[in-house]
Amino acid sequence: MGPGRKTRRGIGSRPGRAEAHTSMSQGLEWLEWDLAGAEREYKRALELNPDYVTAHHRYGVFLVVSGRSDEGLRELKRALELDPASLPINADLGNYYCTTLGQPDKGLAQLKKTVELAPNWPRIHALLSSCYAEKGMWNESVQEIVSMGGPGFVPRARMYAATGKRDEALKIIAQMKERSKTQPVSPMALANLYATLGEKDQAFEYLEKAYAERVPVLRGLNMYHVWDPLRSDPRFKDLLKRIGLPEN
């Protein structure tokens, strides 16, 4: 039984509920990459309950990563109006300001506000690290990860790569590959670093591994500038097409 059939059967037992349609849309979007089906379910959820926060939030994320930023921002702002204290909504809004929406200063302010709500939440520090990296604030990017007890491999290697310390970046990549023998290391992280170094073939090798593993964050491939060196390559365009993303 494929994942799609399982998703539909599980949700089908609770027809007519906004929560059920939102859950179904999540499976269709992130597990199956059935974007048309996912959008249909998000819209159905909001028809059933126009004030359902999670549907506005998740549909907003769907729209942003699908390249429909203006529509997505409206949904995210509506979700935040309905639940101003929501950590995930505040975090996602800040992240998208930093990346897709091209307003990193506004994004940093939003993320820092979210840190005040949950100073020990690892995800918000990871998003702050990413936002600092988007601005080229490498020391701050590394510190956000280290402050939570992480090794800071990715931001540290990106810092070295961006500042011409190629050998240092390659040493960290070697450490990550060694670490992968005993602990999970995302192929997206290695693809990220190889893209930063301009090593296109290696970057695509790990992007294809991520695709084979159906790594959900591939849905956000259009969001981050780290992939810009790959965008003109036919392999990148083919990957976007297979995921169902537009060419930016």
Side-chain angles (χ1 to χ4, degrees), residues 3-4 7 23 25-34 214 216 219:
T7 299
S23 295
S25 64
Q26 291 283 277
L28 291 170
E29 178 182 2
W30 295 100
L31 299 179
E32 301 180 43
W33 295 338
D34 177 359
R214 308 288 282 192
R219 276 277 291 132

Side-chain angles (χ1 to χ4, degrees), residues 99-141:
T99 56
T100 308
L101 300 174
Q103 302 177 53
D105 291 334
K106 193 169 185 177
L108 274 178
Q110 176 72 31
L111 292 172
K112 287 178 178 179
K113 182 179 76 173
T114 311
V115 168
E116 294 175 2
L117 297 173
N120 296 318
W121 186 28
R123 181 171 181 251
I124 193 61
H125 290 279
L127 292 178
L128 262 174
S129 175
S130 178
C131 193
Y132 280 128
E134 288 287 310
K135 288 174 62 65
M137 299 172 66
W138 301 110
N139 289 329
E140 291 85 349
S141 178

Side-chain angles (χ1 to χ4, degrees), residues 206-242:
Y206 282 97
L207 283 173
E208 288 297 336
K209 286 184 179 180
Y211 180 83
E213 295 174 14
R214 308 288 282 192
V215 175
V217 293
L218 272 174
R219 276 277 291 132
L221 205 58
N222 270 337
M223 291 174 51
Y224 297 96
H225 294 301
V226 67
W227 308 115
D228 288 353
L230 308 181
R231 294 192 188 280
S232 62
D233 193 298
R235 291 172 291 182
F236 193 82
K237 296 176 181 179
D238 175 66
L239 183 58
L240 291 177
K241 183 177 180 180
R242 281 181 279 149

Side-chain angles (χ1 to χ4, degrees), residues 38-224:
E39 183 163 21
R40 181 179 62 248
E41 295 302 322
Y42 283 126
K43 288 181 174 179
R44 180 58 179 150
L46 290 169
E47 287 173 1
L48 291 166
N49 184 353
D51 291 331
Y52 184 38
V53 175
T54 302
H56 282 289
H57 174 205
R58 299 314 307 173
Y59 187 36
V61 171
F62 169 90
L63 291 167
V64 170
V65 299
S66 297
R68 296 156 62 184
S69 299
D70 291 343
E71 296 173 76
L73 185 58
R74 284 197 297 271
E75 290 294 333
L76 288 169
K77 286 183 174 180
R78 177 57 180 150
L80 196 61
E81 288 175 2
L82 293 167
D83 188 0
S86 167
L87 296 178
I89 297 170
N90 275 285
D92 283 337
L93 188 59
N95 183 36
Y96 298 143
Y97 276 128
C98 282
T99 56
T100 308
L101 300 174
Q103 302 177 53
D105 291 334
K106 193 169 185 177
L108 274 178
Q110 176 72 31
L111 292 172
K112 287 178 178 179
K113 182 179 76 173
T114 311
V115 168
E116 294 175 2
L117 297 173
N120 296 318
W121 186 28
R123 181 171 181 251
I124 193 61
H125 290 279
L127 292 178
L128 262 174
S129 175
S130 178
C131 193
Y132 280 128
E134 288 287 310
K135 288 174 62 65
M137 299 172 66
W138 301 110
N139 289 329
E140 291 85 349
S141 178
V142 172
Q143 184 56 38
E144 284 299 326
I145 301 300
V146 173
S147 69
M148 295 303 294
F153 283 140
V154 173
R156 201 184 304 274
R158 286 191 68 193
M159 174 179 68
Y160 288 141
T163 55
K165 298 178 180 178
R166 183 182 183 84
D167 289 344
E168 295 299 321
L170 289 172
K171 286 179 183 178
I172 291 179
I173 290 175
Q175 291 174 3
M176 292 175 67
K177 288 182 176 180
E178 183 64 26
R179 186 186 181 96
S180 71
K181 296 176 181 178
T182 57
Q183 301 179 44
V185 173
S186 171
M188 289 294 287
L190 289 164
N192 180 313
L193 297 181
Y194 278 123
T196 303
L197 286 167
E199 298 288 350
K200 291 186 178 183
D201 289 343
Q202 290 93 329
F204 280 113
E205 176 186 345
Y206 282 97
L207 283 173
E208 288 297 336
K209 286 184 179 180
Y211 180 83
E213 295 174 14
R214 308 288 282 192
V215 175
V217 293
L218 272 174
R219 276 277 291 132
L221 205 58
N222 270 337
M223 291 174 51
Y224 297 96

